[in-house]
Amino acid sequence: MKQEIKVPAVGESITEATIGSWTKKSGEFVKRNEILMLLETDKASVEVVAENDGVLTILPGNEAGAVVKIGATVAMLDTDAKPSAEAAAPAAAATAPAPSTAAPAPTSTAASQHLSPAVQRIVTEKGLEPSAIQGTGKDGRLTKGDVLDASAPAKAAAPAPAAKAAPAPQVSAAEVMAARGPSKQGEKKLVPMTTIRKRIAERLKEAQNTSALLTTFNEIDMTKVMDLRSKYKDKFKEKYGLNLGFNGFFVKACVEALKATPAVNAWINGTDIEYHNYYNIGIAVSTDKGLMVPVVKDADMLSLAGIEMAVRDLALKGRDGKITPNDLSGGTFSITNGGVFGSLLSTPILNFPQSGILGLHKIQDRPMAINGKVEIRPMMYVAFTYDHRIIDGKEAVGFLVKVKELIEDPERLLLEV
């Protein structure tokens, strides 16, 4: 029985995918639930598995790197075929010693002179020719000192002790460069962009080309949040099994600020402004495959602990390559944290078509004027990039000030007042 292997639906609005790689070869016998290939979409990577045992036949034009439509047949699986004798006993050929390993290695010049292990190692490392070195050992054998002298830079050329007054020869720049080895000018490597990386580039450029981007900045005194975190982090971990971070505080602060400035939670749809009465907050996560922004859905309905658990689970899925298109869709606002990499200040780019993104940065002690006195406080610069076509400066500054006030007064944040 021939069974078609089709490109599965991998998410809403996704019409095509790229075959990242085949884990099985054409003509190879595969077992049920074995991974056949890895599909890359503009949002995530998806594994396609065999539904039955059989022999795989990859159809022409569907090799790794090919762009395929959703629902297209890319391979066939012959479920009536049985594994070949070679497939049934693959270890037989592997266990037989290769002829080349059984053949004795050709005798080198060094070996013909019965070099000691230490001498042989130096000769091999330095690329010396033993026959060209005068041996001082018994029967003219090479000693370790002989090969070390031969491999050392020419000392005879150095001035004799009696010639101390003679100036040292000047080394030219050309000699210095020559000592570093051949130039690597012109060496390069071309690596095709993955579908995800291409989509990231397209979306970021689309945001720049379409939106009227503007960024406003502020700074937040993290003292009270850090004190609260330090006071309850052990009990929090004991109850919920995870560390108490800052994500929960900032997500809750953003939700309250979005409620106060609805335009930030909206975007332009054609000639209309599309407002959203729900709060789906995207959290930027750096992965091996590029930047992803998984979404915490209905963040306004979650407790601080619920937000922390959702962020942790999404981050782990992103880093383990298990993120799904559904995890990445539906966001209405985003947060990115360059501070985890040491960034002190940056201007984030919108996650199009969203109209706002909050950039968090490194917490750093700085002298601050507090009630007429200079105190050292843990401060964080925050940046809010917004689409000026829909959000006015007054609204943007008001949004960021609201976030600042709530983080600096976490009791008010938790009480939602």
Side-chain angles (χ1 to χ4, degrees):
M1 177 180 175
K2 299 284 187 178
Q3 185 180 67
E4 294 182 337
I5 297 175
K6 297 184 176 183
V7 179
V10 290
E12 184 180 356
S13 77
I14 297 177
T15 59
E16 63 182 19
T18 300
I19 299 177
S21 62
W22 286 93
T23 58
K24 299 294 181 180
K25 298 179 181 178
S26 191
E28 186 175 352
F29 184 82
V30 298
K31 293 185 178 181
R32 183 183 180 188
N33 292 329
E34 280 191 321
I35 299 173
L36 300 178
M37 65 175 173
L38 187 68
L39 283 176
E40 290 185 351
T41 72
D42 58 5
K43 293 183 177 180
S45 296
V46 179
E47 295 174 343
V48 177
V49 301
E51 296 182 0
N52 295 287
D53 296 355
V55 173
L56 176 70
T57 301
I58 300 173
L59 299 180
N62 295 295
E63 296 77 17
V67 178
V68 292
K69 298 292 184 182
I70 300 300
T73 301
V74 294
M76 302 295 293
L77 190 66
D78 188 352
T79 57
D80 295 329
K82 302 298 181 184
S84 64
E86 293 180 359
T95 55
S100 59
T101 59
T107 303
S108 65
T109 305
S112 65
Q113 294 191 27
H114 307 291
L115 303 180
S116 68
V119 172
Q120 179 65 67
R121 178 177 60 81
I122 297 173
V123 166
T124 303
E125 290 179 355
K126 304 295 184 181
L128 302 176
E129 177 56 51
S131 61
I133 305 172
Q134 181 64 41
T136 60
K138 185 179 179 181
D139 299 328
R141 292 184 179 181
L142 294 180
T143 66
K144 185 177 180 181
D146 295 333
V147 292
L148 285 175
D149 289 340
S151 64
K155 298 180 179 179
K164 291 183 179 179
Q170 296 296 317
V171 180
S172 67
E175 290 174 321
V176 173
M177 294 301 295
R180 295 181 178 178
S183 172
K184 294 185 179 180
Q185 290 294 319
E187 289 188 10
K188 59 185 177 181
K189 179 174 68 172
L190 294 178
V191 179
M193 293 176 68
T194 64
T195 303
I196 294 175
R197 172 54 61 188
K198 286 189 288 187
R199 187 55 178 158
I200 290 172
E202 290 170 0
R203 289 175 67 86
L204 292 178
K205 195 59 183 172
E206 184 179 11
Q208 286 187 320
N209 293 341
T210 305
S211 307
L213 299 182
L214 192 60
T215 304
T216 185
F217 303 92
N218 213 316
E219 58 183 351
I220 297 177
D221 186 344
M222 299 292 290
T223 301
K224 289 188 177 181
V225 165
M226 292 178 71
D227 289 345
L228 189 65
R229 178 174 175 267
S230 178
K231 183 177 180 179
Y232 293 107
K233 65 180 181 179
D234 293 336
K235 291 182 179 179
F236 187 89
K237 186 170 185 178
E238 180 181 346
K239 181 172 182 178
Y240 298 106
L242 72 160
N243 294 322
L244 176 59
F246 298 113
N247 284 317
F249 292 101
F250 276 100
V251 169
K252 290 190 73 67
C254 285
V255 167
E256 294 305 311
L258 290 172
K259 290 178 180 178
T261 50
V264 181
N265 201 46
W267 58 60
I268 292 178
N269 184 355
T271 58
D272 298 324
I273 298 177
E274 182 178 311
Y275 289 91
H276 306 105
N277 295 324
Y278 53 91
Y279 304 89
N280 293 348
I281 310 300
I283 306 294
V285 176
S286 179
T287 71
D288 292 339
K289 295 184 178 180
L291 183 69
M292 294 185 179
V293 190
V295 179
V296 178
K297 306 287 179 65
D298 294 318
D300 58 316
M301 302 174 67
L302 297 175
S303 65
L304 189 144
I307 293 171
E308 288 287 352
M309 285 188 282
V311 171
R312 178 203 58 185
D313 293 344
L314 289 169
L316 290 176
K317 289 175 71 175
R319 291 179 182 133
D320 294 341
K322 297 180 179 179
I323 205 82
T324 66
N326 183 59
D327 294 325
L328 301 169
S329 62
T332 59
F333 182 81
S334 294
I335 299 175
T336 181
N337 188 355
V340 296
F341 305 111
S343 173
L344 188 62
L345 190 63
S346 65
T347 54
I349 298 177
L350 290 181
N351 184 19
F352 196 79
Q354 296 173 18
S355 298
I357 182 170
L358 179 69
L360 310 181
H361 299 91
K362 179 183 178 182
I363 300 173
Q364 184 165 293
D365 288 344
R366 291 201 298 275
M368 303 296 296
I370 308 295
N371 297 324
K373 297 180 180 179
V374 176
E375 297 183 15
I376 303 300
R377 293 293 182 97
M379 305 297 295
M380 176 195 286
Y381 288 123
V382 288
F384 174 52
T385 296
Y386 59 98
D387 188 346
H388 210 346
R389 297 177 303 163
I390 181 175
I391 302 169
D392 293 330
K394 179 181 178 181
E395 291 175 305
V397 173
F399 172 87
L400 197 54
V401 168
K402 181 74 171 179
V403 172
K404 171 184 169 68
E405 291 174 348
L406 292 172
I407 295 296
E408 290 184 342
D409 191 358
E411 290 89 352
R412 177 182 172 187
L413 171 65
L414 298 176
L415 291 174
E416 299 181 0
V417 295

